[in-house]
Amino acid sequence: MIQPAPDRDARVGEPPGHRDRPSGHVVVPGALDLTHNVILYLEDISVSFDGFRALNRLSLAIDAGELRAIIGPNGAGKTTMMDVITGKTRPDEGKAFFGQTLDLTRLTEPQIAHAGIGRKFQKPTVFEHHTVFENLELALKADKRVRRTLFARLADDERDRIAAVLARVRLAAEADRLAGLLSHGQKQWLEIAMLLVQEPRLLLLDEPVAGMTDEETERTAELFVSLAGTHSLVVVEHDMSFVAALGGKVTVLHEGAVLAEGDLATVQADERVIEVYLGR
Amino acid sequence: MRTPLTLRLFAGMPRSAQVALALFALAAWGWVPFAHLALAPEHALHLSAYWVSLLGKILCYMVLAVALDLIWGYAGILSLGHGLFFALGGYAFGMYLMRGIGRDGSYQSDLPDFMVFLDWKELPWYWAGSDSFLWALFLAMALPGAVAFVFGWFAFRSRIKGVYFSIITQALTYAAMLLFFRNETGFGGNNGFTDFKRILGYPITAPETRVALFALSAALLVAALVLGRYLVTSRFGRVLAAIRDAESRVMFIGYNPLHYKLFVWTLSAVLCGLAGALYVPQVGIINPSEMSPANSIEIAIWVAVGGRGTLVGAVVGAGLVNLAKSWFTVSFPEYWPFVLGFLFVAVTLFLPDGVVGLVRRLTRRVAGDAASRGEGGTFGASAGSPAHPAAAPPGPARALAGAAPATAAGAVADADASTGEGAIGAERPIAPAARALPGAYAAQSLETRDERANGPAVTSPAIATKGVQP
Ligand SMILES: Nc1ncnc2c1ncn2[C@@H]1O[C@H](COP(=O)(O)OP(=O)(O)OP(=O)(O)O)[C@@H](O)[C@H]1O
Ligand SMILES: [Mg+2]
C-alpha cells in the first residue's frame, strides 16, 4: 500500500548498480541514497497561493548529518518550505529530492514519513486526548498499516525505547498524563520526542523553542546538537541566541528565496540581511 | 502469556461491564424465552409477542447505534446516512424472505406478488440466488459494505470532512430512498417487502421463531460490543481517535488516514447491514421509508443521548429513546417529533456526554478518587474509551434543516448550531498522573534513567536505514 512512487531517474532496463559512476553503487528502490552526502535537495521550488509567491525559485541543499538553521522574517516562506518537503503542499515547479533518488513531489505525506522525514509543526501539535505515552506509542517507528495496527502490541524493547526518549525530554513523570494537560514547552518537547521515536533521518523543526523558558531552550539546543551527525536537522527559529547555540550553518530566507547562507556571524554581517531585518 | 483473545477482552473490562453483560445474557437468553414460551398468557409475568418483537427490534437499533458510535464517537465522522446501510441489509435479507413465501402469496405465483402485479415474467438478474439463506446473509453484509466502501473511498480520498460529509450522507440515503420508491427498481416500490411467511422453513410468526430471532439479535449486540471494544482499545482505536483530533499530525507520523477511516466506516456499515437483516423478519416489513433522512438523524440522536464515544452509551441511548418512542407513539403520536427535538437540544446543552457521561460523573463524585484510580488499568487501554466530545465534529448544521423533514430534524439543526464549541466541550476525566510505568521501564531505577538522559544519543546511528517500509 505504502510504496514510494518509482523514482524518476531510475533507468529502466539497466541492471541495478549500473550507473555512470565507477563506485559500483547499488540503487535500492525506496531506500535512502546518500551517495553524494546530500540528504535533502531543493532546486528552483516555486509555490504560489492565489498569485502570491510564497516560495520563489528556492534552492537549498542539506548535507547528511548537518544541523541547519533557517531564519527569516515572518512570511518568508519557511513553513511553506517544510510543507513542500513533507508533501503537504505540492510545488508549482522545481525539484525536491530526499537523498539521491526519492522524489518528494511524488510521495504522499505518510510515504514521506516512512521514507524518514519527521516534522514538528510550528504550532505544537500533539494528540491532546491521548496520554504522553500513547502519543509516543503512535509515533513509534512501526508498520503503520491498518492490518498491523489492529493487532499491534508493544514489545518490551519498544517500551524501552519510548521510556528512553521520555527520559531524554524529561517527560518520564508525565507518561500517564493527557498530553493536553502539558505546559506549552512540554508539548514542544513531546512533539520532539514523537519525532525521535519515529526514528527519522531528517528532522524538520518549525520554531521548536517558541514558548519555552530560557533553560528549556538551552536544553533543546543541546539535544539538537547531540542529534546532529546521526541525524540531519533543519531548524526554523527566530530566536538568535538559540540559533547561535546550535552553531551550524544558517540560511536566511526572504520572500521565498535564499538571501544569504553561511555561519551566523557572516550572515549577520551581510548587508542585505541587515536591511531585510531592519527594514521591517 | 498468550491468552485467547475473547478471554482477554472480557478480563480487560471493568467489573461493572462484566456484571452488566452477564445480566444481559441471562435476561436475553434465559428470561425472555422462558417468559414468552413457558409462561401461560394469563400469567402475570408472561411476555407478549408485542414485547418480544419490540425488544428484538430495539436490540437491532442498539447494534445500529454502536455502529454509528464507532465512527462518530471514535473517528469523529458523523454519518447521517446510516439508515441506508441498515435498510440495505434489510432489503438483502428481505429478498430471501420474499422468496420464502413461495406460492402462498395472493397471486399463487413463484414470483413475489409485486412482480406479478407489474406483469414481470421472471426474476430480475439481481434476484438470482435470493432463495438461499446463506447468500442472503452474505448480501446483507456485502451490499452495505460495498456501498460504504465505494462511497467512503471517494469521500475520504477527497478529504471531505465534518458537516460536508454529514450532508452528503444525508443526500446519499435520500437518493437511495427515491430509487427504492420506484417500482422498476424491483424492490416492491413504496410498499417494500412484507407478508413474510417463513424463515429457514420455520413459520415466521411462531413464538419459537420469534424468540430465536430475539436471541440472535442479542447475540449480535454482544458481538458488536465486544468487537467494538476490541477495536477502540487497540492501537487501531488510538490511531482513529488521533485522526479525529489531529489528522495531519497522524499523516506526518506515517499513518494513512484514508485506510483507517475506510476500514472502520465499512465495518460500521456491515454491522448496520446485519442489524437490518435481523430487524426485517422481526418487524415483518421493510420499505423505503427506512432510508428517509430523518431516520438516520434519529440514530445520531440515540447516540448523542446515550453519550458518544463510549459504546455503552449508544446502547443506552438507543434503548431509552426507543422505549420512550414506542410509548409516545401509542399515547401521543403527534408529540413524538417535538419530544425528540427537545431531547436533542437538552442533551447537547446540558448533557454533552449523554446519559452515560452523567452517570459516570455522579458515580465518580460519590466514590471519589478511589474509584477513578481503580478503573482504567494499564497503559494503552484508556485512550480510545472516553472520547472527548469536543473533538467530535459539529453535528448536522443548520443547512440540514431544509433537507430533513419533520420538526425533529429542525430542532436537531438548531440545537447543534447553538452548541458550537463551548457547550460540547465538557471536561474529560483526568488520568491519575503518576501511575507506575509498566514493563521494563518500571524496572529501571531512577539513576539509570538519568544516566540515559545525559548520556550519548539513545537512538542508534543505524536508525531508519530501511527507508520506506516493505
Ligand atoms: N495556504 C496558504 N494560502 C495562502 N497563503 C499562504 C498559505 N500558506 C502560507 N501562505 C502565505 O505564504 C507566505 C509564507 O508563509 P509561511 O508560513 O511559509 O511563512 P513563515 O516564513 O513560516 O512565517 P512565520 O515566521 O510567520 O512562521 C505568507 O505570506 C503566508 O501568508
Ligand atoms: Mg512559519
Side-chain angles (χ1 to χ4, degrees):
Chain A
M1 247 176 310
I2 298 170
Q3 282 290 328
D7 41 322
R8 200 184 268 165
D9 57 1
R11 286 152 219 206
V12 187
E14 280 178 65
H18 179 87
R19 288 202 141 193
D20 311 322
R21 211 178 292 134
S23 60
H25 170 71
V26 178
V27 178
V28 184
L32 185 59
D33 175 0
L34 295 177
T35 341
H36 292 298
N37 207 36
V38 172
I39 195 162
L40 180 72
Y41 179 73
L42 304 181
E43 188 184 304
D44 287 337
I45 296 275
S46 292
V47 172
S48 299
F49 296 113
D50 312 318
F52 172 78
R53 284 215 153 188
L55 291 184
N56 190 7
R57 298 177 65 83
L58 172 77
S59 297
L60 189 74
I62 307 289
D63 288 340
E66 188 182 348
L67 169 51
R68 174 76 62 95
I70 309 249
I71 62 171
N74 294 112
K78 306 179 294 288
T79 301
T80 308
M81 181 189 80
M82 294 198 167
D83 288 345
V84 168
I85 299 169
T86 52
K88 188 177 175 204
T89 301
R90 296 276 171 223
D92 301 332
E93 36 186 321
K95 292 184 196 159
F97 276 89
F98 185 43
Q100 293 296 307
T101 50
L102 291 178
D103 183 350
L104 295 173
T105 61
R106 292 175 167 221
L107 300 179
T108 64
E109 293 101 320
Q111 287 170 338
I112 291 173
H114 277 290
I117 299 184
R119 169 176 192 183
K120 199 204 83 61
F121 288 87
Q122 182 162 353
K123 177 177 167 284
T125 317
V126 295
F127 303 123
E128 308 226 330
H129 307 121
H130 291 69
T131 65
V132 167
F133 185 90
E134 287 166 349
N135 267 273
L136 295 182
E137 181 208 5
L138 291 181
L140 197 70
K141 182 181 171 70
D143 190 332
K144 289 175 175 169
R145 288 174 296 183
V146 172
R147 74 188 109 111
R148 289 307 159 88
T149 315
L150 275 172
F151 306 106
R153 308 188 70 190
L154 275 180
D156 284 347
D157 64 310
E158 291 176 321
R159 277 179 197 281
D160 287 348
R161 260 156 60 206
I162 291 179
V165 169
L166 272 175
R168 201 163 188 197
V169 296
R170 312 207 177 187
L171 285 175
E174 319 290 335
D176 253 349
R177 286 184 84 198
L178 292 182
L181 301 174
L182 298 180
S183 74
H184 193 81
Q186 284 176 320
K187 279 185 195 165
Q188 297 272 41
W189 267 347
L190 175 56
E191 206 179 346
I192 293 168
M194 287 167 75
L195 270 189
L196 295 183
V197 293
Q198 212 182 318
E199 300 185 0
R201 298 296 296 268
L202 171 65
L203 289 82
L204 306 176
L205 301 129
D206 203 346
E207 306 196 11
V209 298
M212 283 192 185
T213 63
D214 287 349
E215 196 230 335
E216 287 171 331
T217 303
E218 214 171 287
R219 286 219 308 269
T220 307
E222 281 167 24
L223 173 66
F224 289 177
V225 171
S226 75
L227 288 173
T230 52
H231 301 71
S232 313
L233 295 93
V234 175
V235 184
V236 165
E237 210 20 272
H238 288 293
D239 182 338
M240 285 306 156
S241 57
F242 176 72
V243 171
L246 293 180
K249 210 166 160 192
V250 177
T251 297
V252 186
L253 284 197
H254 177 54
E255 292 179 348
V258 174
L259 184 69
E261 208 163 87
D263 58 43
L264 185 60
T266 325
V267 160
Q268 275 178 325
D270 190 308
E271 272 171 31
R272 288 169 307 167
V273 175
I274 295 171
E275 195 178 309
V276 162
Y277 270 93
L278 294 183
R280 297 231 153 195
Chain B
M1 205 48 223
R2 287 216 159 264
T3 32
L5 188 63
T6 39
L7 265 185
R8 224 166 52 214
L9 281 170
F10 285 109
M13 281 184 184
R15 193 57 174 206
S16 54
Q18 288 172 344
V19 172
L21 209 59
L23 285 179
F24 175 78
L26 217 61
W29 297 317
W31 177 69
V32 169
F34 176 78
H36 185 56
L37 298 178
L39 296 180
E42 306 78 48
H43 197 284
L45 291 177
H46 172 77
L47 204 59
S48 68
Y50 168 80
W51 274 101
V52 177
S53 295
L54 176 67
L55 293 177
K57 183 176 104 172
I58 292 179
L59 286 177
C60 294
Y61 286 157
M62 287 171 168
V63 175
L64 193 53
V66 168
L68 183 69
D69 195 27
L70 269 181
I71 58 154
W72 186 22
Y74 293 94
I77 303 166
L78 173 56
S79 163
L80 292 177
H82 255 42
L84 170 62
F85 306 129
F86 184 71
L88 284 179
Y91 267 105
F93 197 70
M95 287 159 82
Y96 165 76
L97 295 174
M98 287 305 273
R99 296 292 299 279
I101 298 171
R103 292 183 172 229
D104 296 340
S106 337
Y107 295 108
Q108 278 125 44
S109 158
D110 281 330
L111 292 183
D113 277 356
F114 72 88
M115 292 189 191
V116 181
F117 187 75
L118 289 174
D119 208 20
W120 290 5
K121 299 290 176 238
E122 55 184 37
L123 288 169
W125 61 267
Y126 45 84
W127 277 71
S130 55
D131 52 343
S132 152
F133 175 83
L134 286 180
W135 174 247
L137 208 57
F138 168 76
L139 262 193
M141 296 188 277
L143 201 62
V147 170
F149 185 87
V150 172
F151 173 80
W153 198 75
F154 283 108
F156 299 139
R157 206 183 54 137
S158 322
R159 300 191 181 174
I160 294 174
K161 284 179 206 152
V163 181
Y164 301 101
F165 185 87
S166 305
I167 293 173
I168 296 176
T169 53
Q170 280 263 290
L172 180 73
T173 191
Y174 187 66
M177 179 177 76
L178 296 185
L179 179 72
F180 275 69
F181 264 132
R182 290 159 38 102
N183 283 330
E184 300 76 42
T185 310
F187 294 104
N190 54 357
N191 294 321
F193 301 157
T194 187
D195 285 333
F196 309 129
K197 299 278 190 265
R198 54 188 78 82
I199 179 170
L200 279 175
Y202 297 101
I204 205 154
T205 47
E208 289 80 9
T209 315
R210 191 176 300 122
V211 163
L213 286 168
F214 174 89
L216 277 175
S217 308
L220 179 64
L221 178 60
V222 171
L225 281 173
V226 170
L227 176 73
R229 184 177 154 83
Y230 174 76
L231 286 181
V232 303
T233 54
S234 69
R235 187 183 294 173
F236 174 86
R238 290 191 283 282
V239 175
L240 270 193
I243 291 174
R244 176 195 68 197
D245 296 344
E247 181 163 346
S248 62
R249 191 88 202 83
V250 177
M251 283 193 288
F252 292 118
I253 54 178
Y255 297 93
N256 190 342
L258 171 67
H259 300 157
Y260 282 80
K261 290 180 182 176
L262 206 50
F263 179 85
V264 72
W265 171 254
T266 307
L267 182 80
S268 174
V270 170
L271 271 180
C272 291
L274 278 175
L278 271 169
Y279 170 87
V280 170
Q282 295 187 83
V283 298
I285 184 167
I286 173 84
N287 62 37
S289 68
E290 292 293 342
M291 300 178 184
S292 79
N295 252 22
S296 292
I297 291 178
E298 234 183 284
I299 305 169
I301 296 181
W302 305 338
V303 178
V305 165
R308 265 176 287 172
T310 56
L311 294 183
V312 66
V315 175
V316 170
L320 288 179
V321 177
N322 281 297
L323 282 176
K325 180 180 185 173
S326 49
W327 182 74
F328 261 97
T329 44
V330 171
S331 312
F332 315 98
E334 62 273 37
Y335 292 115
W336 174 244
F338 296 100
V339 173
L340 197 62
F342 169 79
L343 208 60
F344 194 73
V345 176
V347 163
T348 29
L349 288 183
F350 306 113
L351 286 182
D353 328 328
V355 175
V356 166
L358 178 74
V359 171
R360 278 194 184 162
R361 236 177 299 157
L362 291 181
T363 49
R364 193 157 297 149
R365 196 167 299 168
V366 172
D369 268 357
S372 65
R373 232 175 287 131
E375 83 179 39
T378 50
F379 261 157
S382 57
S385 25
H388 199 286
R398 209 172 269 280
L400 279 181
T407 25
V412 171
D414 285 344
D416 243 85
S418 63
T419 326
E421 303 267 278
I424 290 189
E427 354 66 291
R428 180 187 155 109
I430 293 164
R435 253 186 253 140
L437 297 175
Y441 186 25
Q444 280 175 11
S445 70
L446 272 173
E447 290 84 51
T448 38
R449 254 182 258 154
D450 275 350
E451 249 168 51
R452 285 227 208 167
N454 303 325
V458 175
T459 36
S460 85
I463 50 160
T465 37
K466 288 191 205 84
V468 176
Q469 66 175 17

